[in-house]
Amino acid sequence: MVMTALAHHIDRNLLHRAYQGIRKDGAPGVDGRSARDYEEQLSANLDEVLSRFKSGSYRAPAVRRVHIPKGDGKSTRPIGIPTVEDKVLQRAVVMVLEAIYEQDFLECSYGFRPRKSAHQALDRLRAGLMEMGGGVVIDVDVRSYFDTIDHGHLRDFLDKRVRDGVIRKQIDKWLKAGVMDGREMMYPRAGTPQGGVISPLLANVFLHEVLDTWFENEVKPRLKGAAFLVRYADDFVVACSNGQDADRVMEVLPKRFGKYGLTIHPQKTRMVNFKRPREGDTKGSGSFDFLGFTHLWERSRKGRWVVKRKTAHKRLTRAVSTVGTWCKEHRHWPIRVQHAAMSRKLVGHFGYYGITGNSKSISRFRHEAIRSWRKWLDRRGQRKSMSWARFSRMLERYPLPPARAVHSIYRHAARP
């Protein structure tokens, strides 16, 4: 069913809920207003933005672009910072649209969806590969996906479900909003609103039509063997039990994406032989990275071949380097303050990478973090004074969190 009347669901109560759902510690947008400033007259501000939204006089402000360093320390990554007011209105529109599109989105999609997570995508991928006995995995990279989404095709996809004039007009304003980079104003002709709350939803709508439904309804029925797709935002892999099927999918994917203005990266997209090794084999077949983990075949403690996941080498190296840089720059802080920050960093790392079978990688990260902490504490002054013996005594007073599999399948089995 096509929805033609939705704007009436956006009222003051929904805007208030939307405000509660946005981050309050973010940097201010082009207007310079922080969340604290906006909250001083919250009721009046929400009434004003609601009135302008309903009358159609709301103008999407430009997004402030800043550049943050990447993990390699050499290049930078541009990010967009909308205004607080724009975040609130975008969140409200997302809350309405999610109620519609969550009925449509398929189970293979896990990114930026309520009650979905990256760990669920990883579990689905592992379970599918184990059930299928491995096969050929197509590891796909879409070049600059969020910056190259074609607005014309996106509007066509939205027409299938949402034709409310007020909401569609507002979405068009966000798509056309400028980007302020320093003193330079730019108006992108493609892509979703940079840094916008609505951007992930629009990106999911686009790939739902371009990839998910196409693969499920047109590709899978034509394949000889089993196959499945796992997608998290623009990161996705296709697993096929039959090698010929994988060749056919690999051949048609660039054509399908090119039809809608997207490009499959020819160097970063690859096919991996991921068949389950035979009983006499001593080593597994190829490996591939997905969502920060390297997937490979290894023997379990019982001697069976199973799919295991470990922290991808680049991710681990980057995490260790980031902690080392932080220890260097903050070595003169009080020990208790450093300890609190280091504890948060370790807990955060274990919160994502702490999965069953990845104990070696998370233990290594903890070990390297401790080494970096001692190294830079030893360089606080001209004389080196933080020996390992003294540092060990300090750790007894300020213990760091142990490496822990937060996402343990055994713990989940005991308490589902």
Side-chain angles (χ1 to χ4, degrees), residues 67 151 191 273 317 358 364:
H67 298 266
H151 292 172
N273 178 21
T317 303
N358 195 33
R364 181 186 170 191

Side-chain angles (χ1 to χ4, degrees), residues 108-285:
C108 62
S109 170
Y110 292 88
F112 306 111
R113 295 181 58 188
R115 297 175 297 279
K116 297 280 188 178
S117 69
H119 292 98
Q120 290 177 340
L122 291 165
D123 291 342
R124 171 68 186 97
L125 177 59
R126 181 182 185 274
L129 290 170
M130 290 287 292
E131 180 182 353
M132 203 166 62
V136 178
V137 173
I138 306 175
D139 181 12
V140 184
D141 182 272
V142 184
R143 180 180 284 167
S144 302
Y145 171 63
F146 286 90
D147 296 330
T148 56
I149 292 177
D150 183 88
H151 292 172
H153 290 304
L154 177 59
R155 293 187 183 98
D156 292 340
F157 296 151
L158 290 170
D159 282 342
K160 295 183 178 182
R161 291 291 266 141
V162 177
R163 294 185 188 174
D164 178 275
V166 178
I167 288 182
R168 289 297 301 275
K169 184 178 180 181
Q170 186 57 52
I171 291 176
D172 279 344
K173 291 179 180 179
W174 283 322
L175 292 176
K176 298 175 182 177
V179 176
M180 181 172 288
D181 193 343
R183 295 184 178 181
E184 183 181 0
M185 180 70 77
M186 298 173 291
Y187 295 91
R189 296 184 179 181
T192 54
Q194 207 178 57
V197 179
I198 200 171
S199 180
L201 177 64
L202 297 179
N204 268 339
V205 170
F206 200 88
L207 276 186
H208 170 73
E209 297 289 344
V210 174
L211 177 64
D212 299 352
T213 57
W214 168 74
F215 182 81
E216 195 68 29
N217 300 330
E218 297 185 34
V219 176
K220 283 180 65 174
R222 291 177 169 85
L223 301 181
K224 298 177 180 178
F228 67 92
L229 163 74
V230 177
R231 179 175 69 84
Y232 189 91
D234 61 325
D235 293 330
F236 68 93
V237 293
V238 178
C240 301
S241 61
N242 186 291
Q244 292 181 344
D245 289 342
D247 291 334
R248 295 173 63 190
V249 174
M250 188 71 170
E251 181 182 357
V252 75
L253 263 177
K255 300 176 183 177
R256 174 69 180 182
F257 275 66
K259 178 180 178 181
Y260 295 96
L262 300 176
T263 304
I264 299 294
H265 201 295
Q267 281 77 39
K268 295 182 180 180
T269 299
R270 63 195 189 104
M271 293 175 58
V272 180
N273 178 21
F274 203 72
K275 287 283 187 181
R276 175 186 280 134
R278 299 175 181 177
E279 288 304 319
D281 293 341
T282 58
K283 187 178 179 180
S285 53

Side-chain angles (χ1 to χ4, degrees), residues 5-68:
L6 293 170
H8 64 280
H9 291 293
I10 300 178
D11 54 18
R12 183 178 174 184
N13 289 333
L14 188 70
L15 286 177
H16 192 273
R17 286 168 52 199
Y19 176 78
Q20 299 301 323
I22 67 169
R23 287 186 57 181
K24 309 298 191 300
D25 57 349
V30 293
D31 60 354
R33 298 176 71 185
S34 65
R36 181 177 298 179
D37 298 333
Y38 194 80
E39 195 169 0
E40 290 180 356
Q41 296 181 334
L42 183 60
S43 297
N45 289 331
L46 294 181
D47 288 339
E48 182 186 4
V49 71
L50 179 62
S51 175
R52 286 185 285 138
F53 167 69
K54 291 294 181 70
S55 66
S57 60
Y58 181 87
R59 296 184 63 184
V63 175
R64 184 167 70 91
R65 176 181 287 176
V66 297
H67 298 266
I68 61 174

